[in-house]
Amino acid sequence: MGTNGRSTKLPLVPLPKGSVLLPGVTLRIPVSNRPDLANLLSSLVDKPSKRDASTITFGCVPLNSPFLSRDGQQLLEGDDSDSERKEEYDSIDAGQARKEDLFQYGTIGKVIGVQRRAYSEPFLLVQGSQRFTIKKVLRDRPYFEAEVFIHDESS
């Protein structure tokens, strides 16, 4: 990733385990049991801003893997700590994540729809647009907000 880009403040959504959003890709994010998503969406819809009122965007961040460092480097394999890290990872829920549980990189996502079938949980349909690096998490409740560096990938 290049050094071209800009810094900004961005609300963050931890993605469910095993999920990652990339630029140009669409992802379904389950909404049920996610008080952070409900709080974030209501604040974005209620907040008057200069942006297009029909566009809702936020940063989508995967949960840390027990086998990678926060910057994506593979940790050394070995001993019993692997099973301990795996158990700790399995206990993390995206709706209850702490800032230590977030990966250092993410993608800006734009809500393009809501999907729901009869007798099933609703999903947000989110399309990835630009990658970013988290510089500093500013708050974690009622939803995450961070100072991020958005990478300019046009060049």
Side-chain angles (χ1 to χ4, degrees):
M1 286 185 238
T3 57
N4 295 337
R6 62 185 167 86
S7 291
T8 189
K9 197 162 66 166
L10 188 67
L12 302 178
V13 171
L15 295 174
K17 269 184 236 151
S19 296
V20 65
L21 181 67
L22 299 171
V25 174
T26 301
L27 180 68
R28 293 172 56 201
I29 302 175
V31 176
S32 61
N33 299 323
R34 293 291 304 263
D36 60 326
L37 260 178
N39 289 326
L40 171 61
L41 291 173
S42 65
S43 80
L44 289 175
V45 169
D46 293 343
K47 185 190 305 182
S49 69
K50 299 173 192 158
R51 67 174 170 74
D52 178 11
S54 65
T55 304
I56 296 176
T57 59
F58 45 77
C60 297
V61 183
L63 295 175
N64 264 336
S65 166
F67 305 107
L68 297 176
S69 65
R70 281 182 49 88
D71 63 354
Q73 299 299 311
Q74 186 171 0
L75 298 174
L76 296 175
E77 295 182 27
D79 59 39
D80 300 330
S81 64
D82 282 355
S83 61
E84 289 174 22
R85 288 193 306 241
K86 175 101 172 75
E87 285 178 26
E88 184 179 328
Y89 176 73
D90 289 341
S91 69
I92 299 171
D93 175 37
Q96 303 300 322
R98 305 166 312 209
K99 65 180 175 182
E100 302 84 40
D101 299 329
L102 300 179
F103 199 60
Q104 185 178 354
Y105 301 99
T107 301
I108 295 175
K110 178 175 100 170
V111 176
I112 59 172
V114 178
Q115 189 177 59
R116 183 180 183 141
R117 295 191 179 114
Y119 307 110
S120 70
E121 65 180 317
F123 291 89
L124 280 181
L125 291 175
V126 179
Q127 185 173 32
S129 62
Q130 285 183 286
R131 293 185 286 178
F132 64 84
T133 303
I134 297 175
K135 291 167 63 174
K136 180 181 179 184
V137 175
L138 303 173
R139 70 175 179 178
D140 60 357
R141 295 290 179 252
Y143 56 86
F144 285 99
E145 191 168 47
E147 182 72 29
V148 301
F149 181 78
I150 299 173
H151 299 277
D152 180 18
E153 302 179 73
S154 60
S155 53

